[in-house]
Amino acid sequence: MQISERVKALAESATLAVSAKAAAMKAEGIDVVSFGAGEPDFDTPEHIKQAAKDALDAGQTKYAKPAHGIPPLKEAICEKFERDNGLSYEPSQVIVTVGGKEALHLAFQALLDPGDEVIVPAPYWVSYPEQVKLAQGKNVIVVGDERNDYKLTPDQIEKALTNRSKVFVLNSPSNPGGFTYSPAELAATADVLRNSDVIVFSDEMYDRLIYDDTRFVSFATLPGMYERTITFNAGSKTFSMTGWRIGYAAGPEPVIKAMAKILSQTTSGTTTFGQAALGAALRADQACVEQMRQEFQRRAHHMHSRLNALPGVSCVKPTGAFYAFPNVSGTYSKLGVNGSVEFSAKVLEEGHVAVVPGVAFGCDSNVRLSFATSMQQIDKGLDRLEKLLGA
Ligand SMILES: Cc1ncc(COP(=O)(O)O)c(C=O)c1O
């Protein structure tokens, strides 16, 4: 069977590949410490699970009506945007999807014509460039500088703009970078984009997971940006609901309608009882989110200081999300490796530590370590790295 050219050009998800190799080693009885996870290690809070059970008992087992999100959930999402982000959306501007991933995919499909350019800052979340390719768009990858915590400067963005630029992808807090754009940096970004017609995809999956004195600002709140921004979020990271597959997006009505049209012909939306649960999660007391945030913050501090103490390693301080993204290129010659894939293979085979090669995120000098794992596992894995690197 001949696979389509479009799909042949797609990359496999590197994050999933590492987890699979680590899982295979574990199945052989090897004690692998995995820093590969892209999901919280906490269970979904009890009151959220209970809301799903109640919805099932109440017979909410049919197709969601409408497919693009049940009205009570859309209202809860509008309340969340108002409360947490200072954003006013009407339910007609909101779509509910199969995870944040589907929302992004639908938006690329709805907006891109062949050859339209998408500015993707690197390090990037693995799926952006592949989703752009699927929509026949053209990736314009712009790499952030470590000295600027891997964030793009206004100058870099300006240079990347052409008359084919259609979308600018903003992911703050960042997976994998762990950085967060400051309010001033976002304002400067908006100043550059204001002179163009570019649409901004603001991926705000980690808006509630920020550390220390970091301030989160939703891009659509900046002057002139509301009309050109689509804001993406999900229950996945905030409420530890990755397996539930519920995401959402909000933005100008015409694009949300276009996304809903595709959804109606593809997935028919996500589970009805799951939507009831996310509605409950958004409306309930938010103490569970704060508890998880505090624990991630503690781990962020610890992992950051231990990584920076390793010879040949430098790590930007994580200010949000749950990833550290150290530059490990200073260890390559000592370890006899050439790039982040060989580095990751070596630490997995010899140190039994699973990390994700940075090349998957557009940065071959780095690797990603998730701290969505216990302090004990963090120390065990870093002890092993320390030994391997001869600290
Ligand atoms: C930056 C970013 N965007 C989107 C997603 C997709 O989230 P979901 O699991 O809700 O599809 C992820 C998940 O890893 C992410 O890290």
Side-chain angles (χ1 to χ4, degrees), residues 38 98-101 104 125 128 171 175 203 205-206 234 236-237 242 245-246 323:
V98 184
K101 195 177 249 180
L104 286 152
W125 177 55
Y128 302 137
N171 173 217
N175 172 12
D203 180 338
M205 298 289 143
Y206 300 93
S236 309
K237 317 289 173 169
T242 45
R245 311 309 304 134
I246 314 179
Y323 311 99

mmCIF file with all atom_site columns, all heavy atoms in Angstrom, residues 38 98-101 104 125 128 171 175 203 205-206 234 236-237 242 245-246 323, ligand 1:
data_model
loop_
_atom_site.group_PDB
_atom_site.id
_atom_site.type_symbol
_atom_site.label_atom_id
_atom_site.label_alt_id
_atom_site.label_comp_id
_atom_site.label_asym_id
_atom_site.label_entity_id
_atom_site.label_seq_id
_atom_site.pdbx_PDB_ins_code
_atom_site.Cartn_x
_atom_site.Cartn_y
_atom_site.Cartn_z
_atom_site.occupancy
_atom_site.B_iso_or_equiv
_atom_site.pdbx_formal_charge
_atom_site.auth_seq_id
_atom_site.auth_comp_id
_atom_site.auth_asym_id
_atom_site.auth_atom_id
_atom_site.pdbx_PDB_model_num
ATOM   1   N N   . GLY A 1 38  ? 5.456   13.837 29.600 1.00 0.00 ? 38  GLY A N   1
ATOM   2   C CA  . GLY A 1 38  ? 4.900   15.157 29.277 1.00 0.00 ? 38  GLY A CA  1
ATOM   3   C C   . GLY A 1 38  ? 3.584   15.368 29.986 1.00 0.00 ? 38  GLY A C   1
ATOM   4   O O   . GLY A 1 38  ? 2.741   16.114 29.515 1.00 0.00 ? 38  GLY A O   1
ATOM   5   N N   . VAL A 1 98  ? -10.725 17.416 21.191 1.00 0.00 ? 98  VAL A N   1
ATOM   6   C CA  . VAL A 1 98  ? -10.084 16.218 21.736 1.00 0.00 ? 98  VAL A CA  1
ATOM   7   C C   . VAL A 1 98  ? -8.651  16.590 22.153 1.00 0.00 ? 98  VAL A C   1
ATOM   8   O O   . VAL A 1 98  ? -7.692  16.358 21.421 1.00 0.00 ? 98  VAL A O   1
ATOM   9   C CB  . VAL A 1 98  ? -10.084 15.078 20.691 1.00 0.00 ? 98  VAL A CB  1
ATOM   10  C CG1 . VAL A 1 98  ? -9.505  13.806 21.304 1.00 0.00 ? 98  VAL A CG1 1
ATOM   11  C CG2 . VAL A 1 98  ? -11.496 14.819 20.178 1.00 0.00 ? 98  VAL A CG2 1
ATOM   12  N N   . GLY A 1 99  ? -8.542  17.209 23.317 1.00 0.00 ? 99  GLY A N   1
ATOM   13  C CA  . GLY A 1 99  ? -7.239  17.686 23.790 1.00 0.00 ? 99  GLY A CA  1
ATOM   14  C C   . GLY A 1 99  ? -6.874  18.999 23.125 1.00 0.00 ? 99  GLY A C   1
ATOM   15  O O   . GLY A 1 99  ? -7.458  19.392 22.096 1.00 0.00 ? 99  GLY A O   1
ATOM   16  N N   . GLY A 1 100 ? -5.892  19.668 23.722 1.00 0.00 ? 100 GLY A N   1
ATOM   17  C CA  . GLY A 1 100 ? -5.377  20.893 23.126 1.00 0.00 ? 100 GLY A CA  1
ATOM   18  C C   . GLY A 1 100 ? -4.801  20.609 21.751 1.00 0.00 ? 100 GLY A C   1
ATOM   19  O O   . GLY A 1 100 ? -4.819  21.446 20.849 1.00 0.00 ? 100 GLY A O   1
ATOM   20  N N   . LYS A 1 101 ? -4.286  19.400 21.585 1.00 0.00 ? 101 LYS A N   1
ATOM   21  C CA  . LYS A 1 101 ? -3.645  19.019 20.328 1.00 0.00 ? 101 LYS A CA  1
ATOM   22  C C   . LYS A 1 101 ? -4.620  19.124 19.154 1.00 0.00 ? 101 LYS A C   1
ATOM   23  O O   . LYS A 1 101 ? -4.280  19.619 18.088 1.00 0.00 ? 101 LYS A O   1
ATOM   24  C CB  . LYS A 1 101 ? -3.113  17.586 20.459 1.00 0.00 ? 101 LYS A CB  1
ATOM   25  C CG  . LYS A 1 101 ? -2.136  17.172 19.402 1.00 0.00 ? 101 LYS A CG  1
ATOM   26  C CD  . LYS A 1 101 ? -1.613  15.774 19.667 1.00 0.00 ? 101 LYS A CD  1
ATOM   27  C CE  . LYS A 1 101 ? -0.149  15.782 20.056 1.00 0.00 ? 101 LYS A CE  1
ATOM   28  N NZ  . LYS A 1 101 ? 0.432   14.475 20.316 1.00 0.00 ? 101 LYS A NZ  1
ATOM   29  N N   . LEU A 1 104 ? -5.311  22.806 18.140 1.00 0.00 ? 104 LEU A N   1
ATOM   30  C CA  . LEU A 1 104 ? -4.241  23.391 17.320 1.00 0.00 ? 104 LEU A CA  1
ATOM   31  C C   . LEU A 1 104 ? -4.304  22.850 15.889 1.00 0.00 ? 104 LEU A C   1
ATOM   32  O O   . LEU A 1 104 ? -4.192  23.608 14.917 1.00 0.00 ? 104 LEU A O   1
ATOM   33  C CB  . LEU A 1 104 ? -2.872  23.092 17.955 1.00 0.00 ? 104 LEU A CB  1
ATOM   34  C CG  . LEU A 1 104 ? -2.591  23.937 19.206 1.00 0.00 ? 104 LEU A CG  1
ATOM   35  C CD1 . LEU A 1 104 ? -1.652  23.225 20.166 1.00 0.00 ? 104 LEU A CD1 1
ATOM   36  C CD2 . LEU A 1 104 ? -2.009  25.302 18.814 1.00 0.00 ? 104 LEU A CD2 1
ATOM   37  N N   . TRP A 1 125 ? 7.209   23.021 20.784 1.00 0.00 ? 125 TRP A N   1
ATOM   38  C CA  . TRP A 1 125 ? 6.503   21.772 21.099 1.00 0.00 ? 125 TRP A CA  1
ATOM   39  C C   . TRP A 1 125 ? 6.471   20.932 19.823 1.00 0.00 ? 125 TRP A C   1
ATOM   40  O O   . TRP A 1 125 ? 6.183   21.460 18.740 1.00 0.00 ? 125 TRP A O   1
ATOM   41  C CB  . TRP A 1 125 ? 5.087   22.093 21.592 1.00 0.00 ? 125 TRP A CB  1
ATOM   42  C CG  . TRP A 1 125 ? 4.245   20.893 21.874 1.00 0.00 ? 125 TRP A CG  1
ATOM   43  C CD1 . TRP A 1 125 ? 4.553   19.852 22.715 1.00 0.00 ? 125 TRP A CD1 1
ATOM   44  C CD2 . TRP A 1 125 ? 2.968   20.589 21.317 1.00 0.00 ? 125 TRP A CD2 1
ATOM   45  N NE1 . TRP A 1 125 ? 3.540   18.937 22.714 1.00 0.00 ? 125 TRP A NE1 1
ATOM   46  C CE2 . TRP A 1 125 ? 2.554   19.361 21.867 1.00 0.00 ? 125 TRP A CE2 1
ATOM   47  C CE3 . TRP A 1 125 ? 2.124   21.237 20.408 1.00 0.00 ? 125 TRP A CE3 1
ATOM   48  C CZ2 . TRP A 1 125 ? 1.340   18.769 21.544 1.00 0.00 ? 125 TRP A CZ2 1
ATOM   49  C CZ3 . TRP A 1 125 ? 0.920   20.649 20.084 1.00 0.00 ? 125 TRP A CZ3 1
ATOM   50  C CH2 . TRP A 1 125 ? 0.536   19.430 20.649 1.00 0.00 ? 125 TRP A CH2 1
ATOM   51  N N   . TYR A 1 128 ? 3.902   21.208 16.591 1.00 0.00 ? 128 TYR A N   1
ATOM   52  C CA  . TYR A 1 128 ? 3.606   22.372 15.731 1.00 0.00 ? 128 TYR A CA  1
ATOM   53  C C   . TYR A 1 128 ? 4.097   22.178 14.290 1.00 0.00 ? 128 TYR A C   1
ATOM   54  O O   . TYR A 1 128 ? 3.311   22.292 13.354 1.00 0.00 ? 128 TYR A O   1
ATOM   55  C CB  . TYR A 1 128 ? 4.200   23.677 16.260 1.00 0.00 ? 128 TYR A CB  1
ATOM   56  C CG  . TYR A 1 128 ? 3.790   24.128 17.641 1.00 0.00 ? 128 TYR A CG  1
ATOM   57  C CD1 . TYR A 1 128 ? 4.739   24.623 18.529 1.00 0.00 ? 128 TYR A CD1 1
ATOM   58  C CD2 . TYR A 1 128 ? 2.465   24.116 18.052 1.00 0.00 ? 128 TYR A CD2 1
ATOM   59  C CE1 . TYR A 1 128 ? 4.389   25.068 19.788 1.00 0.00 ? 128 TYR A CE1 1
ATOM   60  C CE2 . TYR A 1 128 ? 2.105   24.556 19.317 1.00 0.00 ? 128 TYR A CE2 1
ATOM   61  C CZ  . TYR A 1 128 ? 3.080   25.032 20.188 1.00 0.00 ? 128 TYR A CZ  1
ATOM   62  O OH  . TYR A 1 128 ? 2.739   25.466 21.430 1.00 0.00 ? 128 TYR A OH  1
ATOM   63  N N   . ASN A 1 171 ? 4.137   30.079 22.569 1.00 0.00 ? 171 ASN A N   1
ATOM   64  C CA  . ASN A 1 171 ? 3.862   29.095 23.626 1.00 0.00 ? 171 ASN A CA  1
ATOM   65  C C   . ASN A 1 171 ? 4.596   29.522 24.891 1.00 0.00 ? 171 ASN A C   1
ATOM   66  O O   . ASN A 1 171 ? 5.784   29.345 25.028 1.00 0.00 ? 171 ASN A O   1
ATOM   67  C CB  . ASN A 1 171 ? 4.322   27.703 23.160 1.00 0.00 ? 171 ASN A CB  1
ATOM   68  C CG  . ASN A 1 171 ? 4.227   26.647 24.254 1.00 0.00 ? 171 ASN A CG  1
ATOM   69  O OD1 . ASN A 1 171 ? 5.075   25.774 24.361 1.00 0.00 ? 171 ASN A OD1 1
ATOM   70  N ND2 . ASN A 1 171 ? 3.201   26.731 25.077 1.00 0.00 ? 171 ASN A ND2 1
ATOM   71  N N   . ASN A 1 175 ? 6.759   24.493 26.585 1.00 0.00 ? 175 ASN A N   1
ATOM   72  C CA  . ASN A 1 175 ? 7.201   23.108 26.504 1.00 0.00 ? 175 ASN A CA  1
ATOM   73  C C   . ASN A 1 175 ? 7.999   23.019 25.216 1.00 0.00 ? 175 ASN A C   1
ATOM   74  O O   . ASN A 1 175 ? 7.421   23.242 24.147 1.00 0.00 ? 175 ASN A O   1
ATOM   75  C CB  . ASN A 1 175 ? 6.001   22.154 26.431 1.00 0.00 ? 175 ASN A CB  1
ATOM   76  C CG  . ASN A 1 175 ? 6.420   20.714 26.147 1.00 0.00 ? 175 ASN A CG  1
ATOM   77  O OD1 . ASN A 1 175 ? 7.588   20.380 26.211 1.00 0.00 ? 175 ASN A OD1 1
ATOM   78  N ND2 . ASN A 1 175 ? 5.440   19.869 25.839 1.00 0.00 ? 175 ASN A ND2 1
ATOM   79  N N   . ASP A 1 203 ? -0.630  29.432 22.686 1.00 0.00 ? 203 ASP A N   1
ATOM   80  C CA  . ASP A 1 203 ? -0.803  28.133 23.344 1.00 0.00 ? 203 ASP A CA  1
ATOM   81  C C   . ASP A 1 203 ? -0.534  28.335 24.836 1.00 0.00 ? 203 ASP A C   1
ATOM   82  O O   . ASP A 1 203 ? 0.609   28.484 25.262 1.00 0.00 ? 203 ASP A O   1
ATOM   83  C CB  . ASP A 1 203 ? 0.173   27.135 22.712 1.00 0.00 ? 203 ASP A CB  1
ATOM   84  C CG  . ASP A 1 203 ? 0.072   25.748 23.323 1.00 0.00 ? 203 ASP A CG  1
ATOM   85  O OD1 . ASP A 1 203 ? -0.412  25.621 24.467 1.00 0.00 ? 203 ASP A OD1 1
ATOM   86  O OD2 . ASP A 1 203 ? 0.500   24.784 22.661 1.00 0.00 ? 203 ASP A OD2 1
ATOM   87  N N   . MET A 1 205 ? -1.393  26.323 27.467 1.00 0.00 ? 205 MET A N   1
ATOM   88  C CA  . MET A 1 205 ? -1.641  25.078 28.228 1.00 0.00 ? 205 MET A CA  1
ATOM   89  C C   . MET A 1 205 ? -1.144  25.157 29.669 1.00 0.00 ? 205 MET A C   1
ATOM   90  O O   . MET A 1 205 ? -1.651  24.490 30.549 1.00 0.00 ? 205 MET A O   1
ATOM   91  C CB  . MET A 1 205 ? -0.896  23.886 27.585 1.00 0.00 ? 205 MET A CB  1
ATOM   92  C CG  . MET A 1 205 ? -1.312  23.542 26.197 1.00 0.00 ? 205 MET A CG  1
ATOM   93  S SD  . MET A 1 205 ? -2.934  22.803 26.127 1.00 0.00 ? 205 MET A SD  1
ATOM   94  C CE  . MET A 1 205 ? -3.493  23.541 24.605 1.00 0.00 ? 205 MET A CE  1
ATOM   95  N N   . TYR A 1 206 ? -0.058  25.935 29.869 1.00 0.00 ? 206 TYR A N   1
ATOM   96  C CA  . TYR A 1 206 ? 0.581   25.947 31.195 1.00 0.00 ? 206 TYR A CA  1
ATOM   97  C C   . TYR A 1 206 ? 0.341   27.272 31.919 1.00 0.00 ? 206 TYR A C   1
ATOM   98  O O   . TYR A 1 206 ? 1.150   27.668 32.760 1.00 0.00 ? 206 TYR A O   1
ATOM   99  C CB  . TYR A 1 206 ? 2.085   25.675 31.043 1.00 0.00 ? 206 TYR A CB  1
ATOM   100 C CG  . TYR A 1 206 ? 2.397   24.330 30.410 1.00 0.00 ? 206 TYR A CG  1
ATOM   101 C CD1 . TYR A 1 206 ? 2.582   24.202 29.033 1.00 0.00 ? 206 TYR A CD1 1
ATOM   102 C CD2 . TYR A 1 206 ? 2.487   23.174 31.183 1.00 0.00 ? 206 TYR A CD2 1
ATOM   103 C CE1 . TYR A 1 206 ? 2.844   22.970 28.445 1.00 0.00 ? 206 TYR A CE1 1
ATOM   104 C CE2 . TYR A 1 206 ? 2.762   21.942 30.611 1.00 0.00 ? 206 TYR A CE2 1
ATOM   105 C CZ  . TYR A 1 206 ? 2.940   21.852 29.244 1.00 0.00 ? 206 TYR A CZ  1
ATOM   106 O OH  . TYR A 1 206 ? 3.210   20.620 28.671 1.00 0.00 ? 206 TYR A OH  1
ATOM   107 N N   . ALA A 1 234 ? -6.421  23.600 27.821 1.00 0.00 ? 234 ALA A N   1
ATOM   108 C CA  . ALA A 1 234 ? -6.966  22.244 27.993 1.00 0.00 ? 234 ALA A CA  1
ATOM   109 C C   . ALA A 1 234 ? -7.056  21.922 29.475 1.00 0.00 ? 234 ALA A C   1
ATOM   110 O O   . ALA A 1 234 ? -6.453  22.608 30.312 1.00 0.00 ? 234 ALA A O   1
ATOM   111 C CB  . ALA A 1 234 ? -6.047  21.226 27.311 1.00 0.00 ? 234 ALA A CB  1
ATOM   112 N N   . SER A 1 236 ? -5.790  19.183 30.404 1.00 0.00 ? 236 SER A N   1
ATOM   113 C CA  . SER A 1 236 ? -4.710  18.203 30.522 1.00 0.00 ? 236 SER A CA  1
ATOM   114 C C   . SER A 1 236 ? -3.675  18.494 31.600 1.00 0.00 ? 236 SER A C   1
ATOM   115 O O   . SER A 1 236 ? -3.402  17.649 32.454 1.00 0.00 ? 236 SER A O   1
ATOM   116 C CB  . SER A 1 236 ? -3.997  18.080 29.174 1.00 0.00 ? 236 SER A CB  1
ATOM   117 O OG  . SER A 1 236 ? -4.937  17.861 28.145 1.00 0.00 ? 236 SER A OG  1
ATOM   118 N N   . LYS A 1 237 ? -3.059  19.680 31.528 1.00 0.00 ? 237 LYS A N   1
ATOM   119 C CA  . LYS A 1 237 ? -1.940  19.950 32.440 1.00 0.00 ? 237 LYS A CA  1
ATOM   120 C C   . LYS A 1 237 ? -2.456  20.544 33.749 1.00 0.00 ? 237 LYS A C   1
ATOM   121 O O   . LYS A 1 237 ? -2.022  20.149 34.833 1.00 0.00 ? 237 LYS A O   1
ATOM   122 C CB  . LYS A 1 237 ? -0.934  20.903 31.783 1.00 0.00 ? 237 LYS A CB  1
ATOM   123 C CG  . LYS A 1 237 ? -0.623  20.601 30.329 1.00 0.00 ? 237 LYS A CG  1
ATOM   124 C CD  . LYS A 1 237 ? 0.205   19.347 30.109 1.00 0.00 ? 237 LYS A CD  1
ATOM   125 C CE  . LYS A 1 237 ? 0.314   19.043 28.623 1.00 0.00 ? 237 LYS A CE  1
ATOM   126 N NZ  . LYS A 1 237 ? 1.274   18.030 28.278 1.00 0.00 ? 237 LYS A NZ  1
ATOM   127 N N   . THR A 1 242 ? -4.654  14.463 31.361 1.00 0.00 ? 242 THR A N   1
ATOM   128 C CA  . THR A 1 242 ? -4.117  14.205 30.017 1.00 0.00 ? 242 THR A CA  1
ATOM   129 C C   . THR A 1 242 ? -4.856  13.079 29.286 1.00 0.00 ? 242 THR A C   1
ATOM   130 O O   . THR A 1 242 ? -5.083  13.165 28.082 1.00 0.00 ? 242 THR A O   1
ATOM   131 C CB  . THR A 1 242 ? -2.617  13.862 30.080 1.00 0.00 ? 242 THR A CB  1
ATOM   132 O OG1 . THR A 1 242 ? -2.409  12.925 31.145 1.00 0.00 ? 242 THR A OG1 1
ATOM   133 C CG2 . THR A 1 242 ? -1.774  15.083 30.328 1.00 0.00 ? 242 THR A CG2 1
ATOM   134 N N   . ARG A 1 245 ? -8.548  13.680 27.338 1.00 0.00 ? 245 ARG A N   1
ATOM   135 C CA  . ARG A 1 245 ? -8.568  14.278 26.005 1.00 0.00 ? 245 ARG A CA  1
ATOM   136 C C   . ARG A 1 245 ? -9.623  15.376 25.883 1.00 0.00 ? 245 ARG A C   1
ATOM   137 O O   . ARG A 1 245 ? -10.585 15.239 25.119 1.00 0.00 ? 245 ARG A O   1
ATOM   138 C CB  . ARG A 1 245 ? -8.745  13.202 24.900 1.00 0.00 ? 245 ARG A CB  1
ATOM   139 C CG  . ARG A 1 245 ? -7.828  12.003 24.985 1.00 0.00 ? 245 ARG A CG  1
ATOM   140 C CD  . ARG A 1 245 ? -6.369  12.349 25.112 1.00 0.00 ? 245 ARG A CD  1
ATOM   141 N NE  . ARG A 1 245 ? -5.889  13.202 24.037 1.00 0.00 ? 245 ARG A NE  1
ATOM   142 C CZ  . ARG A 1 245 ? -5.134  14.287 24.273 1.00 0.00 ? 245 ARG A CZ  1
ATOM   143 N NH1 . ARG A 1 245 ? -4.785  14.646 25.507 1.00 0.00 ? 245 ARG A NH1 1
ATOM   144 N NH2 . ARG A 1 245 ? -4.722  15.006 23.270 1.00 0.00 ? 245 ARG A NH2 1
ATOM   145 N N   . ILE A 1 246 ? -9.450  16.427 26.647 1.00 0.00 ? 246 ILE A N   1
ATOM   146 C CA  . ILE A 1 246 ? -10.342 17.582 26.503 1.00 0.00 ? 246 ILE A CA  1
ATOM   147 C C   . ILE A 1 246 ? -9.526  18.870 26.459 1.00 0.00 ? 246 ILE A C   1
ATOM   148 O O   . ILE A 1 246 ? -8.817  19.212 27.411 1.00 0.00 ? 246 ILE A O   1
ATOM   149 C CB  . ILE A 1 246 ? -11.347 17.723 27.664 1.00 0.00 ? 246 ILE A CB  1
ATOM   150 C CG1 . ILE A 1 246 ? -11.985 16.373 27.982 1.00 0.00 ? 246 ILE A CG1 1
ATOM   151 C CG2 . ILE A 1 246 ? -12.453 18.732 27.286 1.00 0.00 ? 246 ILE A CG2 1
ATOM   152 C CD1 . ILE A 1 246 ? -12.946 16.433 29.118 1.00 0.00 ? 246 ILE A CD1 1
ATOM   153 N N   . TYR A 1 323 ? 9.250   21.439 32.820 1.00 0.00 ? 323 TYR A N   1
ATOM   154 C CA  . TYR A 1 323 ? 10.406  20.928 32.074 1.00 0.00 ? 323 TYR A CA  1
ATOM   155 C C   . TYR A 1 323 ? 11.647  21.780 32.342 1.00 0.00 ? 323 TYR A C   1
ATOM   156 O O   . TYR A 1 323 ? 11.543  23.001 32.462 1.00 0.00 ? 323 TYR A O   1
ATOM   157 C CB  . TYR A 1 323 ? 10.144  20.968 30.568 1.00 0.00 ? 323 TYR A CB  1
ATOM   158 C CG  . TYR A 1 323 ? 8.825   20.358 30.179 1.00 0.00 ? 323 TYR A CG  1
ATOM   159 C CD1 . TYR A 1 323 ? 7.714   21.164 29.932 1.00 0.00 ? 323 TYR A CD1 1
ATOM   160 C CD2 . TYR A 1 323 ? 8.679   18.974 30.084 1.00 0.00 ? 323 TYR A CD2 1
ATOM   161 C CE1 . TYR A 1 323 ? 6.485   20.612 29.589 1.00 0.00 ? 323 TYR A CE1 1
ATOM   162 C CE2 . TYR A 1 323 ? 7.456   18.414 29.747 1.00 0.00 ? 323 TYR A CE2 1
ATOM   163 C CZ  . TYR A 1 323 ? 6.359   19.241 29.501 1.00 0.00 ? 323 TYR A CZ  1
ATOM   164 O OH  . TYR A 1 323 ? 5.148   18.699 29.170 1.00 0.00 ? 323 TYR A OH  1
HETATM 165 C C1  . LIG B 2 .   ? 2.714   23.215 24.579 1.00 0.00 ? 1   LIG B C1  1
HETATM 166 C C2  . LIG B 2 .   ? 1.692   22.144 24.429 1.00 0.00 ? 1   LIG B C2  1
HETATM 167 N N1  . LIG B 2 .   ? 0.644   22.364 23.625 1.00 0.00 ? 1   LIG B N1  1
HETATM 168 C C3  . LIG B 2 .   ? -0.319  21.452 23.460 1.00 0.00 ? 1   LIG B C3  1
HETATM 169 C C4  . LIG B 2 .   ? -0.262  20.231 24.110 1.00 0.00 ? 1   LIG B C4  1
HETATM 170 C C5  . LIG B 2 .   ? -1.362  19.237 23.866 1.00 0.00 ? 1   LIG B C5  1
HETATM 171 O O1  . LIG B 2 .   ? -2.095  18.997 25.005 1.00 0.00 ? 1   LIG B O1  1
HETATM 172 P P1  . LIG B 2 .   ? -3.247  17.899 25.064 1.00 0.00 ? 1   LIG B P1  1
HETATM 173 O O2  . LIG B 2 .   ? -2.708  16.753 25.834 1.00 0.00 ? 1   LIG B O2  1
HETATM 174 O O3  . LIG B 2 .   ? -4.376  18.597 25.764 1.00 0.00 ? 1   LIG B O3  1
HETATM 175 O O4  . LIG B 2 .   ? -3.622  17.521 23.679 1.00 0.00 ? 1   LIG B O4  1
HETATM 176 C C6  . LIG B 2 .   ? 0.826   19.935 24.931 1.00 0.00 ? 1   LIG B C6  1
HETATM 177 C C7  . LIG B 2 .   ? 0.965   18.618 25.561 1.00 0.00 ? 1   LIG B C7  1
HETATM 178 O O5  . LIG B 2 .   ? 2.021   18.094 25.743 1.00 0.00 ? 1   LIG B O5  1
HETATM 179 C C8  . LIG B 2 .   ? 1.814   20.928 25.119 1.00 0.00 ? 1   LIG B C8  1
HETATM 180 O O6  . LIG B 2 .   ? 2.866   20.717 25.917 1.00 0.00 ? 1   LIG B O6  1
#
